[in-house]
Amino acid sequence: MSPQKPTNIIYTGVAGTGKTYRLLQIAQQYTDYLPRMNDKDLLGQLLQELSWRDVICLIFLDFKSKRQDLVKVPEIVNHEFFVSKAAQNARDKNLSNTAWSVLQMHTPASSQTVSYKNRASQAYFDKDNSGAWYLLPESMGLLSDLAQQLAEFQQAQRENNSQNQEFRQQRFSMVSFHQAYGYEEFVEGIRPVMAATSPATNSSSQMSYAIQDGAFLKLCQRAANDPDQRYAMLIDEINRANVSRVFGELLSLIEPDKRAGMTNAMTVSLAYSGRTFSVPTNVDIYATMNTQDHSLAPLDMALRRRFRFIECPPQPELLPIIHINQDSEAVNSGTLNTEALNSKTANPAETLYSTENLYPIETIDLAKLLTGLNNRIAQTLGAEAQLGHAFLWSVDSIEQLQTALIEQIIPQLVQAAAGQVTILQYIFQDEQQPLSAQFIQDSQALINNDANNSVIPNSPNQLFAGHQSFLGQSISSGSYKINTDLLDHSAEFAKPFVYQRLY
C-alpha cells in the first residue's frame, strides 16, 4: 500500500472564489500523460494475448458498437482485427477456414443451421438462414472483459486522432452532488438493464434489474488494483445533497485510520450486494462547499470530523485594472508616453495625462472596486454574502463591467438583501448621489421625480414612456430599480468616475 496518509479536504467559501477551479487543478495531479502510440501498435497490444475465438468475439462486438448484429464470414476475415492477428501469427493462407472452424466450434448443440461434431463446451455464435452469423444473447455476459478492452482501444484511437499530443490516464472521478443524488449513484444501487435482442428470433428487448456500482465504488476498485498510485474522488457542491444518505455505511470507512491496511481498518457489508468492502488507503477525497446558500443542507458533525476544511476567500488582488482611454494599448503594454499625451491637450502646460492623475481619471481598479463592495456587504449582510473574484474575472472593459453588474452582481445582492433599497444603495454608495448617478434607485423617489418633471404633451419622449415603464417593471423588485442609464451603458455610467466611487 502507498505509505502516504489519505487526504480528506473540503474547500469552503462564497460563490465565485475558485473552489471548483481548485478541484480541476487537483485533477491534473491525478492525471498521467503517456506517450502516444500509433494505431498499429495499439491494435497489436490489444490482440497480443487473445485467442482466435476472442478475436472473432471482439470483431462481433466492434460491429455491434456500429449497430450491425449480423456478420458474414468475408466481413470477419477482412476485418482489421482478423488481418492483424493473422500477421502476428505469420499466417496468410486458409484464413477463411480458420474463421469457419472457430464459428462452428462455438455454436450451440441446438443450432438449426450449423451441424458440427467437435463443439466446444461454451457456445458464443449461431447462424441464421441467410448465412449471416451473430453473437448469442446469453454469451454477452461472458464478454464483459473483451467489451471493456474494446472500449479502451476505441478511446485510445480517438485520443490518438485528436490534436492532443499526449494520452491521458485519469486516476480520479468527479461528480457534482445535487438534491436528488443518492447512495445508488455514489456507492451501489439497483438499475434497469435492457436484455440483448436475439437477431434470429427478433424477440423484443426485455428490461431486468441488476445491482450496479456507483462512482465511488468503481474508483475504489481501481485504486485497490493499483496500490502504488494515488486516486482521487472529486465532489463539487458536497452540501447540495444529503451527505449522510449518499455515503451511507461508508461514512466511517473514509476516516484515514479506518482505511484498508491501517491500524483501525474497518470493513462493512454493502447495502444492496452484501459484498464486504473497505476504502483503500490510496484514495483521497476532495470536495467543495458553498457557504452562501442557506437552502443547502448543513454538514453534520460526524462528517465534519472526517474532513479538513480550507477556507477560500475572495481574492480581489487577482483582478486587473481597466484602462479607459484612447491609448489603452500603450497603457496595457507599459509603453505609455505621457509627453505625447500631454501634447494633445488644449493647454500644453496642463498635465491632464500625467502619471499622477492618469490612474484616478482614466482607469477602473477592479481589485479596489470588489474590495469596497465586499467591505460594505460584510457590514450590512454579513461575510457570507460577499462576492467572489470570479464575478469580475473575465472583465477587461467598461462594457463588460456593466454587464457583470447588471446580470450577476446586482441580482445576487438584491436576493441577499431581500430587495431592501436602503441596504443596496449603501453598498453602491448611492445615498448622496443624484438620481441620474445612482446604480440602485428608489422607485418611490423616481415616481416623485417624474411627478415634478411631467412629460410635455406630444413630445418625442412621450412616445417611449410606455416602453420605459415596461422596462422599469421588468427589472424592479420591491422598491428598487436599476438605473436605466446603466442598462443602456450611457450617460454617467459611460464614465470611469462612477465606478471609482465604489472603491
Side-chain angles (χ1 to χ4, degrees):
M1 277 291 187
S2 172
Q4 183 177 334
K5 186 178 180 181
T7 299
N8 293 344
I9 290 178
I10 294 179
Y11 295 100
T12 68
V14 299
T17 54
K19 300 181 297 296
T20 303
Y21 175 77
R22 288 201 184 200
L23 284 191
L24 297 176
Q25 294 301 108
I26 290 170
Q28 297 300 314
Q29 301 172 22
Y30 293 84
T31 302
D32 299 323
Y33 293 90
L34 308 175
R36 294 178 63 180
M37 297 176 63
N38 59 47
D39 287 351
K40 182 178 179 181
D41 292 338
L42 284 172
L43 186 55
Q45 189 178 74
L46 171 68
L47 304 176
Q48 184 65 43
E49 303 298 327
L50 300 185
S51 65
W52 274 114
R53 184 207 68 194
D54 292 335
V55 171
I56 292 180
C57 285
L58 204 64
I59 291 171
F60 275 98
L61 291 173
D62 186 47
F63 276 113
K64 200 172 186 66
S65 70
K66 301 168 184 173
R67 302 185 181 278
Q68 179 179 341
D69 292 324
L70 299 174
V71 184
K72 295 289 185 76
V73 171
E75 291 178 292
I76 295 173
V77 174
N78 292 322
H79 193 280
E80 62 173 336
F81 294 172
F82 198 95
V83 172
S84 181
K85 186 64 177 178
Q88 283 184 356
N89 295 348
R91 290 275 310 278
D92 59 1
K93 296 180 180 179
N94 303 318
L95 297 181
S96 292
N97 291 341
T98 299
W100 275 104
S101 176
V102 172
L103 290 167
Q104 292 174 315
M105 184 183 300
H106 294 91
T107 55
S110 59
S111 174
Q112 301 297 311
T113 55
V114 179
S115 177
Y116 197 77
K117 293 182 179 180
N118 300 319
R119 282 188 167 93
S121 58
Q122 179 61 54
Y124 290 87
F125 319 106
D126 204 353
K127 185 174 63 170
D128 68 6
N129 292 324
S130 71
W133 292 82
Y134 59 90
L135 278 175
L136 294 171
E138 56 267 27
S139 71
M140 292 301 295
L142 304 173
L143 302 177
S144 57
D145 288 343
L146 275 179
Q148 179 63 30
Q149 291 181 50
L150 177 63
E152 291 174 356
F153 168 75
Q154 291 171 337
Q155 177 63 30
Q157 273 193 321
R158 285 192 291 270
E159 293 276 353
N160 251 4
N161 296 327
S162 71
Q163 294 181 351
N164 296 332
Q165 295 301 309
E166 297 171 303
F167 176 73
R168 295 184 299 170
Q169 180 177 317
Q170 297 177 339
R171 291 180 283 108
F172 68 89
S173 179
M174 188 169 185
V175 297
S176 184
F177 280 10
H178 50 80
Q179 286 85 344
Y181 200 85
Y183 180 91
E184 293 76 13
E185 291 83 13
F186 195 64
V187 184
E188 66 172 10
I190 298 175
R191 296 291 182 199
V193 177
M194 298 301 295
T197 303
S198 171
T201 61
N202 277 332
S203 61
S204 59
S205 299
Q206 293 184 345
M207 187 171 68
S208 60
Y209 291 87
I211 297 173
Q212 294 187 359
D213 296 340
F216 185 64
L217 198 59
K218 289 178 180 177
L219 182 79
C220 287
Q221 289 168 348
R222 288 179 59 198
N225 294 327
D226 188 15
D228 294 329
Q229 295 281 359
R230 299 207 66 78
Y231 287 74
M233 187 74 230
L234 308 179
I235 305 170
D236 197 24
E237 302 280 9
I238 190 171
N239 57 328
R240 283 198 175 276
N242 184 332
V243 180
S244 296
R245 180 183 177 277
V246 172
F247 277 86
E249 65 273 18
L250 304 192
L251 201 57
S252 297
L253 303 188
I254 63 175
E255 286 191 65
D257 67 326
K258 304 294 194 303
R259 304 291 188 93
M262 303 300 282
T263 52
N264 299 317
M266 286 184 61
T267 300
V268 300
S269 296
L270 297 177
Y272 287 94
S273 64
R275 290 177 291 175
T276 58
F277 175 74
S278 59
V279 179
T281 191
N282 60 328
V283 173
D284 301 320
I285 304 175
Y286 300 90
T288 68
M289 185 174 79
N290 187 341
T291 58
Q292 194 168 31
D293 192 341
H294 295 289
S295 68
L296 303 183
L299 297 184
D300 58 36
M301 293 307 297
L303 187 70
R304 285 184 176 274
R305 188 169 56 81
R306 290 164 169 85
F307 282 86
R308 290 191 290 127
F309 286 76
I310 297 179
E311 176 70 21
C312 297
Q315 295 178 274
E317 66 274 10
L318 300 178
L319 299 175
I321 294 173
I322 301 176
H323 297 275
I324 316 295
N325 59 66
Q326 58 189 338
D327 290 290
S328 59
E329 291 184 7
V331 174
N332 290 328
S333 64
T335 60
L336 180 65
N337 187 336
T338 55
E339 292 182 5
L341 289 172
N342 290 335
S343 68
K344 299 176 184 177
T345 65
N347 182 0
E350 198 174 358
T351 316
L352 297 178
Y353 291 88
S354 67
T355 305
E356 293 79 18
N357 64 19
L358 176 67
Y359 170 76
I361 295 177
E362 301 294 345
T363 65
I364 302 173
D365 190 328
L366 295 181
K368 288 186 176 182
L369 187 150
L370 183 64
T371 300
L373 285 175
N374 277 339
N375 286 340
R376 294 185 291 277
I377 290 169
Q379 292 169 14
T380 53
L381 301 175
E384 71 275 5
Q386 291 184 96
L387 302 169
H389 52 273
F391 283 96
L392 300 175
W393 180 258
S394 59
V395 171
D396 57 16
S397 68
I398 194 169
E399 293 78 16
Q400 291 178 354
L401 175 58
Q402 292 163 341
T403 299
L405 288 168
I406 295 165
E407 297 180 358
Q408 293 182 287
I409 293 176
I410 292 177
Q412 174 149 322
L413 293 178
V414 166
Q415 183 177 8
Q420 298 180 64
V421 70
T422 53
I423 293 177
L424 295 170
Q425 287 197 329
Y426 174 75
I427 291 173
F428 285 95
Q429 302 277 63
D430 284 331
E431 309 104 306
Q432 306 302 321
Q433 301 297 322
L435 273 173
S436 61
Q438 292 179 352
F439 287 85
I440 306 297
Q441 298 172 326
D442 188 323
S443 298
Q444 187 60 45
L446 281 174
I447 293 172
N448 296 337
N449 187 65
D450 289 342
N452 295 329
N453 300 281
S454 57
V455 180
I456 300 172
N458 301 321
S459 69
N461 289 338
Q462 192 178 33
L463 298 175
F464 299 99
H467 171 71
Q468 294 294 344
S469 174
F470 172 77
L471 184 61
Q473 291 175 8
S474 67
I475 60 173
S476 296
S477 175
S479 60
Y480 91 95
K481 182 174 181 291
I482 301 176
N483 195 317
T484 53
D485 288 338
L486 175 60
L487 295 170
D488 295 336
H489 312 305
S490 61
E492 300 296 315
F493 294 93
K495 304 170 184 177
F497 74 86
V498 175
Y499 306 96
Q500 292 166 3
R501 79 162 194 255
L502 300 180
Y503 294 175

